[in-house]
Amino acid sequence: MTAVSEQNFKGFPSSRLKNLGIDFPFLIAPMVGISHVAFRELVRSYLPESVSPLLFTEMLSTLRLPYEKWEDLPGPLNSLGENYFIPQLLGNEESYISGSIEKLLPLHPWGFDINMGCPASHQLSHNWGVRLLGDIDYASQVVKVTKKHSPVPVSVKLRAATGSSIDLNYLLKFTQRLEDSGADWLTLHCRTQNQGHHGYAHWDLVSEVAKERKIPVVANGDIHHWEDAFHLMDQYRVDGAMIARAATARPWILWQLAQKMGNFDLPKARWETSPPWTPEEEGAEYFRAVLRFSCLLEDYFGDTPFALKKLIFFVAHGSRWLLFGHQFFHGVKRCQNLVQVRDFVNEYSEKNPQPLGKTARI
């Protein structure tokens, strides 16, 4: 991605997210297996208290959620007093959507997000996820019923297209209907269904959509580094940049963005006085972040197979930005519990210091 010069740091226009009370235009995406309470706490541990970004849960099935008992889950859905979190709902039937919203409202979510982007085949069989992108009327109805039952803002996260072919005119019509149906804002993952999480993200496409919509439009896809997020905001005139898997490598990325926006307050946890900036500093901080994450997982889920699975999944994604990430991941994968993970990470990071790249390597 093109580097952003100092003169552009405050050059992008005011985000329309401010109309919803959101002053910080950078967000962390909903990610299956990742965006649970411990991960969101890790991200927040690097944030000044004056910065309140929107962070999403993993996608939640509306078929299961109304009937699940909180005490039967491996851990809590959110932390005590957690603000600005958004549950992402996967579903299409009003009774299940309304039941899910009713179940979640006592947790005081900032809003709800409708998943219209998941390309997994087992979700498509239910006419969920990206399948909704193929039916304007159906998708519009899902937004209407969600708005009907939600007293808080409702957003939609969608992809650029089903299959592999992008039709801008259809996408504009589709997003117009979502807006007309009451969606408060949209996030466009600028890839097609067939691309999954790989290949070029069409940032120019989300820019075209943002021009046409009256509600905020946030871009998602191909954001590896804080410079990418700034470049998106500066050059493509979107209302926000949603960071996904890069946040598993750089859980401090929002702290970097906050400083570049002029906020020099220290994080609540006061890990350091300044974010890591150089590849070497970021590499060292990555290993510390894995250690902190292991402690947060234990706090919320115990030293359990469930917690270990979540940590391995986290490292599987984030280590791709390390110079020798494959080696590190396989070392973590051999660990039998979180205590072994911490011993391994401490020893490995001391013997094998390495930089964190601007883009994923593997």
Side-chain angles (χ1 to χ4, degrees), residues 58-75:
E58 303 174 77
M59 65 181 183
L60 306 172
S61 170
T62 56
L63 287 179
R64 295 199 307 264
L65 189 59
Y67 310 104
E68 287 181 321
K69 295 181 180 179
W70 296 130
E71 59 269 21
D72 292 338
L73 299 178

Side-chain angles (χ1 to χ4, degrees), residues 136-150:
I136 292 179
D137 293 333
Y138 201 164
S140 170
Q141 189 62 26
V142 171
V143 174
K144 286 179 180 178
V145 299
T146 307
K147 283 290 293 182
K148 174 183 174 182
H149 296 283
S150 174

Side-chain angles (χ1 to χ4, degrees), residues 75-316:
L77 185 67
N78 68 324
S79 62
L80 184 64
E82 183 180 8
N83 297 317
Y84 298 99
F85 84 100
I86 299 180
Q88 189 188 59
L89 304 178
L90 183 71
N92 54 17
E93 295 184 37
E94 181 170 3
S95 60
Y96 294 117
I97 291 172
S98 64
S100 297
I101 290 174
E102 183 179 1
K103 182 75 171 286
L104 291 164
L105 280 176
L107 303 181
H108 307 292
W110 182 89
F112 292 103
D113 185 66
I114 303 170
N115 184 313
M116 293 191 187
C118 179
S121 58
H122 63 283
Q123 310 298 0
L124 304 184
S125 64
H126 294 285
N127 209 18
W128 293 348
V130 76
R131 180 65 64 82
L132 290 170
L133 187 56
D135 191 327
I136 292 179
D137 293 333
Y138 201 164
S140 170
Q141 189 62 26
V142 171
V143 174
K144 286 179 180 178
V145 299
T146 307
K147 283 290 293 182
K148 174 183 174 182
H149 296 283
S150 174
V152 294
V154 171
S155 59
V156 178
K157 188 170 186 287
L158 66 153
R159 282 183 176 260
T162 58
S164 59
S165 178
I166 297 174
D167 183 339
L168 177 58
N169 289 331
Y170 179 81
L171 186 59
L172 292 175
K173 290 178 184 177
F174 188 89
T175 56
Q176 177 70 67
R177 284 291 295 276
L178 298 183
E179 180 178 320
D180 293 342
S181 300
D184 293 288
W185 57 285
L186 307 173
T187 297
L188 181 58
H189 183 171
C190 318
R191 293 188 176 99
T192 67
Q193 174 187 351
N194 287 0
Q195 282 183 281
H197 300 289
H198 306 286
Y200 175 73
H202 305 272
W203 288 359
D204 54 337
L205 191 72
V206 73
S207 181
E208 291 297 322
V209 174
K211 289 177 187 176
E212 297 295 324
R213 299 284 67 83
K214 296 178 182 177
I215 58 176
V217 177
V218 172
N220 170 231
D222 255 2
I223 303 172
H224 295 262
H225 190 267
W226 69 263
E227 288 183 340
D228 299 335
F230 260 96
H231 184 62
L232 243 179
M233 293 289 294
D234 180 52
Q235 297 297 317
Y236 290 86
R237 297 304 195 256
V238 294
D239 295 286
M242 179 181 282
I243 301 151
R245 283 161 177 76
T248 63
R250 294 182 164 91
W252 55 85
I253 191 170
L254 297 186
W255 186 17
Q256 292 173 319
L257 289 164
Q259 283 214 355
K260 291 300 180 181
M261 292 181 72
N263 187 322
F264 292 91
D265 294 344
L266 293 179
K268 179 179 179 180
R270 296 181 180 271
W271 299 124
E272 288 89 15
T273 57
S274 177
W277 294 111
T278 69
E280 292 72 25
E281 289 172 346
E282 288 197 299
E285 190 60 38
Y286 173 76
F287 293 121
R288 288 191 286 266
V290 173
L291 292 171
R292 289 164 185 155
F293 186 54
S294 74
C295 294
L296 288 166
L297 283 167
E298 187 168 2
D299 287 344
Y300 285 107
F301 305 114
D303 192 350
T304 61
F306 177 87
L308 180 62
K309 180 180 178 180
K310 294 299 183 185
L311 187 138
I312 291 172
F313 197 60
F314 173 82
V315 172

